[in-house]
Amino acid sequence: MGVRGLQGFVRSTCPHVCTVVNLKEMAEHHLSRHPACTPTIVVDAMCCLRYWYTPESWICGGQWREYFAALRDFVKTFESVGIKLIFFFDGMVEQNKRDEWIKRRLKNNKEISKIFHYIKSRREQPGRNMFFIPSGLAIFTRFALKAMGQQTLCSLQEADYEVASYGLQHNCLGILGEDTDYLIYDTCPYLSISDLCLESLNTVMLCREKLCESLGLHLADLPLLACLLGNDIIPEGMFESFRYKCLSSYTSSKGSFDKKGNIILAVSDYISKVLHLHQGERKLEEMLPLGPNKALFYKGVASYLLPGKKSPWLFQKPKGVTVLDKQEVSLSSDPASPRGAPTCTEPESSQDILVCADPDSKEKVLVRVDPELKEEVLVRADPECKQEVPMHADPESKQGGPMCTDADSQQEVHTYLDPEPKQGLPICVHPEISQQLPVGTDPEFNQEAPMCVHPEVIQEDPMTMGPEIKEQVPMVSDPEILKIARTQHVHAESYLVYSILSSGEIECSNTLEDELDQALPSQAFIYRPVRQRVYSVLLRGCQDGTSAAYPVVKEWFVYPGNSLRRPDLVRPLQMTIPGGVPSLKILWLNEEPAVQAQRLDILLSCFNLSSSREELQAVDSPLRALCCLLIYLFIQKGLPALARPGRSHLPEADHRVDTLCLEDLHAFIAQALCLQGKSTAQLISLQLEYINSRAVQLGSLLVRGLTTLALVNSACGFPWEMNEFMPWNVFDGKLFHQKYLQSEKGYALEVLLEQNRSWLTKFHDLKAVVCKACMKENRRIVGRSHWNSHHTGRWGRQSSGSHRTGSAYSHSGQGQSRRDQGPGSRQHERDQWKRH
């Protein structure tokens, strides 16, 4: 992400902007100037995942033990030179960036298709040029870093703003990442993760001051440049004609650089020679072709303003202020309180007036008049929402922004609706950054507006939206529960729970799934019943006792055939538990033994495994988590249909995993047992005869099951330690692939278990637990030969090479007629689950 074309321009055209630095020397210099301050680097973790994942094998589901060791070495290297690391992860997808998120996911789908085509044609892992990070890497990296004692934070908006804010406020040594937005923010130095040499701690620092010198700009001009070039908020095509107009009039050394380089130079030249010339005399919208995009443009510029920073291009002090309504935003900073600490607004302490900054404009600006400070602060008002909405914006209607309310600080955020305009900036305060963050400031004022930016793009006509989407209501009203969930989210202790409670919206990125393989449904469908039961646990206070009264949850899950034009609307699935499901306050806060037992009961009920409680309790950690997933996968039946606006019931779709067989079970259990006795070095040296596409999917399926366990465990109040189902304890992709190939060829159990008698005993015990649970559900696990000789359904639709015993191989799914696909096919899936 970042500013389009800027990365390549800096590297090729302005190499002097990039300076090689040594982080150890920087830390020593920083410590000499600030003896009481530990040198700290704030890390944009999402930018670093590819750098951190150093294992050679990535196709089989992840080399988690090896990855954990590499990550630990990374942390120890910085600790050894006295540098503290603060890790930030994306915690939410902002609504104005949803389109960009979708575009990237659809692009990834095409890359995944190429990967599977490569596997099936060459039977080997593609080169690093086709590298795709293993499923769940970001999620499990959070837990890995926490296990290492590192400060790990999850953002309440896209992480780059919070990373830049943290770096500025805490006088950090630098920001380690790979995003050109860090060249635009006026914050601490931007350090490149891709250029980092861990052995020497040398990397490249990209200097924004030198960039400005090269372009003839001021630091305060960089947000303006970023928006004119296009970024994650401003679509690239919005100012395309303007950029080419600048290029056509740009006469300095045309053709010396590439096209994108010349455009950046031309736009910079226009800013420095034209806009600067008339600045203060004419409005920016008169000098630029903003047109109907004026509000969106200002949002883009404002999104780069950090605490204490101002822009000369934003919001001139309004003249002829017109009072429109007695509406207010309950946000203030008490001058007597600690710097930036959120406090409750007293009615007499300030007055908020919604005004029209331009009589010809429908945009509204909120002016705060503080009688104590005698100052006015301009605040962007959200005209789209008429009520307090402590949840994220609906991706369909794009109405109303996310609000964040901290019960302890008694800080409230309100936005209001104007029926005409559709622009506005919601606001929030991150609990980890103990300073309120500004949306933007007036250059004539000395006081910044204490808010942080959640820039929203509001374009949809609400009349075209379904009734469930237009109607926005809080998912959970209990402030104590929201505060607990929010705290756990920010500290990266839970997974997805806060998103469900605060916004009723979650997402899941791409998984290595072969869209041509019709036998295995997508993990999005396989684990959906589990998620639906979790929604029932979390949202039970939002309904009147009937399933239809539950609010739907919007799922943005990537799976083959999903265009992502709209989210899947999924209703909670009620569970029958003796004594009923307790309230979240009891489930999360009560430490009585009876409640602790209830937590486990509910976890197992989410997987529909209540009848196997006794057997699973007898299994040692961490293998009981694996058994839980295996039983669920083998007994999984058809899934309930999606909720659609105006439709209360649809036929069930058939998405069973009934092609799992005895050989698959043997491979899963054997790899988990053998993993317990292997060192990281042994796993690294493991070599595979070839790569099987079905084994690739099964590996990813299990890892997605582990992330689902993290969600269930978080929702149920942590009946199990999170460490129990971290993949480095129960799964190794390459080892599983080896056992799968051996099992497929009919190798004896002694070979699968490497002649280890104690493992063989445990193997039979674990297999008995799984098989007994399956028999209770009338699911008999049979060998592959049984399927090949008795079934022409799902196995018949598979390529013979993907599943038959031996090493014969052919192209899976190729030449297959859609007309021949049965009820379990992906085509049927699309029909049954079609979104309206």
Side-chain angles (χ1 to χ4, degrees):
M1 294 187 180
V3 183
R4 290 171 176 83
L6 188 57
Q7 182 80 25
F9 171 79
V10 168
R11 298 279 184 172
S12 62
T13 307
C14 305
H16 62 284
V17 173
C18 306
T19 305
V20 176
V21 295
N22 183 270
L23 298 182
K24 180 181 178 182
E25 293 175 1
M26 286 180 65
E28 292 171 349
H29 181 62
H30 185 277
L31 196 58
S32 67
R33 289 183 299 156
H34 309 282
C37 181
T38 302
T40 301
I41 290 178
V42 55
V43 183
D44 186 338
M46 302 302 289
C47 293
C48 300
L49 293 177
R50 287 174 176 267
Y51 176 90
W52 288 332
Y53 192 85
T54 57
E56 180 182 345
S57 175
W58 51 268
I59 197 73
C60 301
Q63 302 309 112
W64 296 99
R65 186 81 63 80
E66 189 179 346
Y67 176 69
F68 188 91
L71 198 59
R72 184 174 52 209
D73 290 343
F74 179 89
V75 169
K76 285 183 176 179
T77 299
F78 283 89
E79 286 179 341
S80 67
V81 296
I83 297 176
K84 179 181 178 181
L85 299 176
I86 306 291
F87 297 90
F88 271 86
F89 287 82
D90 281 335
M92 304 279 184
V93 176
E94 294 182 27
Q95 296 311 316
N96 66 292
K97 297 189 178 183
R98 176 65 70 187
D99 287 345
E100 184 66 25
W101 184 88
I102 291 171
K103 187 187 302 181
R104 292 173 185 271
R105 303 291 79 76
L106 296 178
K107 180 183 177 183
N108 288 346
N109 278 344
K110 295 179 181 179
E111 295 171 356
I112 290 173
S113 294
K114 293 177 182 178
I115 289 172
F116 275 100
H117 177 75
Y118 187 99
I119 295 172
K120 290 185 284 187
S121 61
R122 304 198 185 187
R123 304 178 71 195
E124 63 185 20
Q125 175 179 280
R128 191 77 178 188
N129 61 311
M130 295 178 73
F131 172 73
F132 197 87
I133 64 172
S135 299
L137 190 67
I139 300 161
F140 292 121
T141 301
R142 301 179 207 169
F143 294 114
L145 290 168
K146 290 192 72 65
M148 297 173 195
Q150 297 301 296
Q151 187 172 348
T152 307
L153 303 175
C154 227
S155 69
L156 291 169
Q157 59 190 93
E158 189 137 346
D160 55 0
Y161 185 91
E162 295 187 13
V163 167
S165 299
Y166 191 97
L168 174 68
Q169 295 171 58
H170 293 81
N171 191 28
C172 290
L173 202 63
I175 292 170
L176 190 60
E178 204 67 32
D179 189 332
T180 48
D181 276 339
Y182 296 128
L183 264 177
I184 307 301
Y185 288 113
D186 189 3
T187 181
C188 60
Y190 167 31
L191 307 168
S192 169
I193 183 65
S194 64
D195 293 295
L196 175 64
C197 174
L198 198 58
E199 289 75 18
S200 64
L201 281 180
N202 285 339
T203 189
V204 167
M205 180 175 70
L206 290 85
C207 180
R208 59 187 67 89
E209 288 80 7
K210 290 182 179 179
L211 176 63
C212 287
E213 182 182 338
S214 300
L215 299 177
L217 301 177
H218 307 136
L219 282 176
D221 297 329
L222 290 178
L224 174 65
L225 174 68
C227 291
L228 291 175
L229 293 176
N231 54 23
D232 294 333
I233 295 177
I234 307 297
E236 189 172 9
M238 183 178 292
F239 293 107
E240 186 172 9
S241 60
F242 167 76
R243 290 193 295 269
Y244 280 96
K245 182 179 178 181
C246 292
L247 186 62
S248 64
S249 61
Y250 180 59
T251 57
S252 175
S253 302
K254 285 185 184 178
S256 299
F257 309 107
D258 60 20
K259 184 177 179 181
K260 286 189 176 180
N262 273 324
I263 288 176
I264 293 174
L265 291 171
V267 174
S268 301
D269 186 68
Y270 185 86
I271 294 172
S272 63
K273 293 182 178 177
V274 178
L275 299 185
H276 282 174
L277 181 64
H278 300 288
Q279 190 174 3
E281 301 174 5
R282 296 165 58 188
K283 296 178 182 178
L284 183 60
E285 54 262 31
E286 293 175 359
M287 296 186 285
L288 291 174
L290 299 183
N293 302 310
K294 180 166 60 174
L296 179 59
F297 174 79
Y298 281 129
K299 290 176 190 179
V301 175
S303 70
Y304 287 110
L305 295 185
L306 301 179
K309 301 299 180 181
K310 304 175 182 179
S311 172
W313 303 108
L314 277 184
F315 312 140
Q316 295 302 312
K317 190 171 182 178
K319 299 176 182 178
V321 167
T322 304
V323 177
L324 298 180
D325 208 341
K326 293 182 179 179
Q327 302 176 24
E328 66 177 9
V329 173
S330 303
L331 254 186
S332 74
S333 290
D334 186 345
S337 67
R339 183 172 182 253
T343 59
C344 184
T345 302
E346 294 296 334
E348 64 274 13
S349 67
S350 65
Q351 179 182 2
D352 298 328
I353 306 173
L354 191 63
V355 302
C356 186
D358 184 342
D360 297 327
S361 171
K362 291 183 179 179
E363 294 177 52
K364 306 303 183 293
V365 179
L366 188 72
V367 175
R368 155 145 309 171
V369 183
D370 192 321
E372 295 284 332
L373 300 175
K374 307 293 184 186
E375 291 186 344
E376 301 175 22
V377 181
L378 282 181
V379 183
R380 296 286 301 165
D382 187 341
E384 193 57 21
C385 180
K386 289 182 177 176
Q387 57 183 1
E388 297 179 37
V389 186
M391 55 183 287
H392 282 268
D394 190 307
E396 294 295 313
S397 64
K398 312 253 178 102
Q399 295 180 354
M403 310 302 132
C404 301
T405 303
D406 190 325
D408 280 357
S409 66
Q410 298 181 1
Q411 180 180 346
E412 298 177 285
V413 178
H414 305 256
T415 59
Y416 301 88
L417 176 69
D418 182 282
E420 291 298 325
K422 291 181 168 45
Q423 293 88 16
L425 287 180
I427 47 183
C428 78
V429 175
H430 194 304
E432 280 305 308
I433 301 177
S434 55
Q435 176 174 343
Q436 295 167 330
L437 312 176
V439 168
T441 59
D442 188 298
E444 298 181 29
F445 303 157
N446 297 319
Q447 170 103 0
E448 63 266 19
M451 288 171 292
C452 73
V453 172
H454 274 273
E456 297 282 319
V457 182
I458 304 171
Q459 298 172 337
E460 295 280 0
D461 180 2
M463 296 303 294
T464 64
M465 299 298 106
E468 290 177 304
I469 296 177
K470 286 191 294 184
E471 208 46 54
Q472 288 191 4
V473 294
M475 303 299 278
V476 173
S477 58
D478 188 332
E480 185 177 8
I481 289 299
L482 280 174
K483 182 178 181 293
I484 294 170
R486 186 171 183 255
T487 300
Q488 290 175 350
H489 169 89
V490 168
H491 290 280
E493 296 168 351
S494 66
Y495 174 55
L496 291 182
V497 168
Y498 181 65
S499 297
I500 296 167
L501 292 177
S502 64
S503 69
E505 183 174 20
I506 61 172
E507 57 272 323
C508 179
S509 189
N510 306 77
T511 304
L512 281 180
E513 296 174 335
D514 183 8
E515 63 179 352
L516 298 180
D517 185 341
Q518 305 298 322
L520 286 174
S522 170
Q523 64 87 20
F525 295 132
I526 291 172
Y527 295 113
R528 175 168 282 162
V530 181
R531 299 194 301 273
Q532 288 179 284
R533 296 184 185 105
V534 169
Y535 303 155
S536 176
V537 172
L538 295 177
L539 305 177
R540 63 180 299 271
C542 304
Q543 45 80 43
D544 59 9
T546 63
S547 177
Y550 277 101
V552 297
V553 174
K554 294 180 281 290
E555 292 189 346
W556 294 90
F557 274 60
V558 182
Y559 52 83
N562 186 5
S563 66
L564 294 172
R565 283 192 293 268
R566 291 191 179 185
D568 293 335
L569 305 181
V570 182
R571 289 198 182 278
L573 192 62
Q574 292 192 74
M575 298 181 291
T576 302
I577 297 177
V581 178
S583 68
L584 291 181
K585 196 166 287 188
I586 294 174
L587 194 61
W588 290 1
L589 301 178
N590 193 313
E591 294 301 328
E592 294 179 4
V595 176
Q596 293 184 29
Q598 261 188 319
R599 293 187 184 111
L600 179 58
D601 288 338
I602 296 171
L603 181 147
L604 295 178
S605 294
C606 286
F607 287 94
N608 199 25
L609 299 180
S610 298
S611 62
S612 301
R613 187 186 199 280
E614 185 178 342
E615 291 85 351
L616 286 170
Q617 280 291 85
V619 177
D620 293 334
S621 171
L623 296 176
R624 62 181 172 183
L626 176 70
C627 281
C628 177
L629 285 178
L630 292 179
I631 295 170
Y632 175 79
L633 289 175
F634 275 86
I635 66 175
Q636 176 64 354
K637 297 180 180 179
L639 309 185
L642 290 171
R644 307 180 201 170
R647 300 285 297 276
S648 59
H649 176 74
L650 289 172
E652 289 193 353
D654 180 16
H655 295 294
R656 291 169 291 179
V657 200
D658 57 7
T659 55
L660 289 177
C661 59
L662 199 60
E663 289 83 355
D664 300 328
L665 179 62
H666 288 175
F668 277 124
I669 297 177
Q671 74 84 29
L673 290 172
C674 293
L675 179 62
Q676 312 305 314
K678 290 193 180 296
S679 66
T680 302
Q682 287 175 313
L683 294 170
I684 293 173
S685 63
L686 193 67
Q687 298 296 316
L688 297 176
E689 182 182 350
Y690 61 93
I691 299 296
N692 179 289
S693 64
R694 184 171 183 270
V696 168
Q697 290 197 89
L698 288 177
S700 295
L701 179 61
L702 186 79
V703 172
R704 285 299 188 196
L706 296 174
T707 65
T708 304
L709 255 175
L711 164 62
V712 177
N713 200 51
S714 303
C716 295
F718 305 99
W720 286 346
E721 293 289 336
M722 281 289 197
N723 196 48
E724 286 193 35
F725 42 87
M726 291 298 103
W728 45 86
N729 290 326
V730 295
F731 181 78
D732 179 273
K734 198 160 53 169
L735 183 60
F736 167 72
H737 218 92
Q738 182 194 59
K739 302 305 176 185
Y740 179 92
L741 297 178
Q742 291 174 346
S743 182
E744 184 187 48
K745 293 179 180 179
Y747 284 19
L749 291 179
E750 289 78 7
V751 177
L752 262 66
L753 296 166
E754 302 172 8
Q755 310 299 329
N756 188 307
R757 289 186 176 274
S758 64
W759 290 350
L760 184 61
T761 301
K762 290 183 179 179
F763 177 94
H764 286 298
D765 291 341
L766 294 175
K767 180 181 175 181
V769 170
V770 175
C771 291
K772 181 179 179 181
C774 289
M775 289 300 292
K776 292 179 182 178
E777 300 293 330
N778 296 317
R779 169 70 157 98
R780 180 170 170 249
I781 305 176
V782 297
R784 188 158 298 149
S785 59
H786 175 86
W787 279 101
N788 289 337
S789 60
H790 292 88
H791 291 264
T792 58
R794 294 170 183 269
W795 287 111
R797 290 194 304 275
Q798 290 298 312
S799 68
S800 58
S802 294
H803 304 294
R804 76 167 54 141
T805 304
S807 60
Y809 190 85
S810 67
H811 294 245
S812 173
Q814 295 186 358
Q816 171 179 310
S817 170
R818 289 287 184 184
R819 292 174 297 179
D820 296 335
Q821 296 175 5
S825 72
R826 190 61 50 87
Q827 182 65 45
H828 179 76
E829 165 187 307
R830 291 171 182 164
D831 293 340
Q832 291 284 358
W833 293 71
K834 184 178 180 182
R835 288 166 309 284
H836 288 253

